Amino acid sequence: GAKFVHKAYQFARYVMIEDMKKLSVGTGIPFAEAVMWRPEDMYIAKARHRVAYNKLLQILKKRDFAIQEYEKR
């Protein structure tokens, strides 16, 4: 349900940030720090969050549909 999708999104975001931290060590490019910054315009930040959340939801729905169709056959 919606709670699972929200937790999956939070987990995916956490994994992405941790991976970025590992990959950016020693490069001089603070990717992970940029992800953790609080934006000045919260409206734009919330809009980006909604877009990413909806995209993840679409991907999960497509994958679930494909799995159900595969199981039917």
Side-chain angles (χ1 to χ4, degrees), residues 9-65:
Y9 174 78
Q10 287 178 329
F11 179 69
R13 184 175 186 276
Y14 172 78
V15 170
M16 177 197 68
I17 290 170
E18 291 301 314
D19 191 43
M20 287 173 54
K21 283 180 184 178
K22 288 180 195 172
L23 294 175
S24 66
V25 170
T27 61
I29 303 171
F31 288 116
E33 288 80 10
V35 171
M36 298 306 291
W37 283 340
R38 301 279 304 172
E40 294 177 15
D41 188 356
M42 285 304 292
Y43 175 78
I44 292 175
K46 287 179 181 178
R48 287 180 180 162
H49 175 266
R50 280 192 306 271
V51 168
Y53 184 81
N54 288 336
K55 185 67 175 174
L56 176 65
L57 186 60
Q58 288 175 355
I59 291 169
L60 292 174
K61 284 182 179 180
K62 284 180 185 178
R63 187 169 286 178
D64 183 52
F65 177 76

